[in-house]
């Protein structure tokens, strides 16, 4: 059985250039997979905002939404119609106050992984923190207990095992961006790697 197939022309508006459709849901991870119990999990906000720490119960008390989104990995595979449940980024942002000079966010994750986003790419209503995948608790290999999902950018921006948001005035590159990946990662422009 082939694990990847070329998309037909009817999917040209959904599958970015150079991508192939995945039959399953591949897992790509650098290093070991963190195992974090929901009772131990925390999300800390810092930087150009009032410092605050959210627990799992805090997250579950926020409005919960269902999402169906396409998922595009920089390693040239895409998975369409992935079904998630979680908290919209915009609903989360209603819980905090960000200072006007904030223009970027550095996403921090268990396992010492980081990635960066412009605040304009982060604070979109279609982005969400996911805790459920296809009706089941998000497994650790897919970033559980909680990951960010940013459907309009390559999947490394959808940070697994999210643990912190640092709001910044200037861009600070994350782990992958310091190691050659593009600072933004827009699939339709094939922003895979930095030119530097």
């Amino acid at each position: 059985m082939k694990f990847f197939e070329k998309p037909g022309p009817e999917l040209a508006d959904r599958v970015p250039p150079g991508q192939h459709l995945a039959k399953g849901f591949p897992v790509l991870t650098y290093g070991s997979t963190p195992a974090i119990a929901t009772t131990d999990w925390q999300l800390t906000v810092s930087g150009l905002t009032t410092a605050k720490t959210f627990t799992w119960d805090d997250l579950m008390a926020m409005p919960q939404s269902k999402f169906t989104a396409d998922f595009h990995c920089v390693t040239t595979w895409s998975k369409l119609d992935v079904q998630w449940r979680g908290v919209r980024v915009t609903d989360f942002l209603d819980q905090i106050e960000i200072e006007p000079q904030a223009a970027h966010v550095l996403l921090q994750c268990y396992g010492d992984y980081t990635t960066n986003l412009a605040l304009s790419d982060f604070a979109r209503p279609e982005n969400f923190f996911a805790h459920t995948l296809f009706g089941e608790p998000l497994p650790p290999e897919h970033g559980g207990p909680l990951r960010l999902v940013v459907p309009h950018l390559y999947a490394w921006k959808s940070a697994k095992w999210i643990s912190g948001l640092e709001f910044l005035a200037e861009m600070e590159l994350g782990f992958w961006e310091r190691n050659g990946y593009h600072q933004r990662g827009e699939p339709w422009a094939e922003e895979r790697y930095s030119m530097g």
Side-chain angles (χ1 to χ4, degrees):
M1 181 183 113
K2 289 200 309 182
F3 289 100
F4 302 98
E5 62 184 17
K6 282 196 156 187
E10 74 281 2
L11 293 173
D13 62 336
R14 290 184 66 188
V15 182
Q19 298 291 106
H20 295 78
L21 294 177
K23 298 274 181 136
F25 199 161
V27 174
L28 286 88
T29 300
Y30 178 85
S32 58
T33 297
I36 309 104
T38 54
T39 50
D40 298 327
W41 177 89
Q42 293 184 328
L43 179 68
T44 301
V45 296
S46 62
L48 297 172
T49 183
T50 303
K52 193 171 181 180
T53 299
F54 294 87
T55 66
W56 191 257
D57 287 345
D58 294 332
L59 187 83
M60 292 298 108
M62 295 179 199
Q64 305 291 312
S65 303
K66 291 182 178 179
F67 306 88
T68 300
D70 297 340
F71 195 83
H72 307 296
C73 183
V74 70
T75 60
T76 73
W77 60 266
S78 293
K79 184 166 181 62
L80 305 184
D81 297 320
V82 183
Q83 297 172 23
W84 310 88
R85 190 165 184 268
V87 175
R88 284 186 197 280
V89 166
T90 48
D91 287 338
F92 178 85
L93 291 176
D94 286 344
Q95 312 289 319
I96 62 175
E97 288 188 27
I98 303 169
E99 295 178 24
Q101 64 268 41
H104 298 271
V105 58
L106 187 67
L107 310 171
Q108 298 158 343
C109 307
Y110 291 96
D112 295 326
Y113 169 78
T114 57
T115 190
N116 62 276
L117 285 171
L119 188 56
S120 58
D121 277 322
F122 176 67
R124 292 167 58 138
E126 68 269 27
N127 297 343
F128 53 96
F129 296 102
H131 54 68
T132 301
L133 174 64
F134 291 115
E136 299 292 334
L138 184 64
E141 64 268 23
H142 283 296
L146 193 78
R147 78 178 297 163
L148 178 67
V149 180
V150 181
H152 71 286
L153 298 179
Y154 281 124
W156 90 83
K157 296 293 189 176
S158 295
K160 296 179 181 179
W161 315 298
I162 191 90
S163 65
L165 308 171
E166 184 181 2
F167 294 94
L168 304 165
E170 304 291 333
M171 180 174 61
E172 182 177 327
L173 296 180
F175 172 83
W176 289 114
E177 296 80 13
R178 292 193 307 273
N179 285 282
Y181 279 60
H182 196 277
Q183 66 186 29
R184 181 159 188 253
E186 204 281 296
W188 294 96
E190 295 191 81
E191 293 177 341
R192 299 178 193 276
Y193 307 107
S194 68
M195 304 305 289

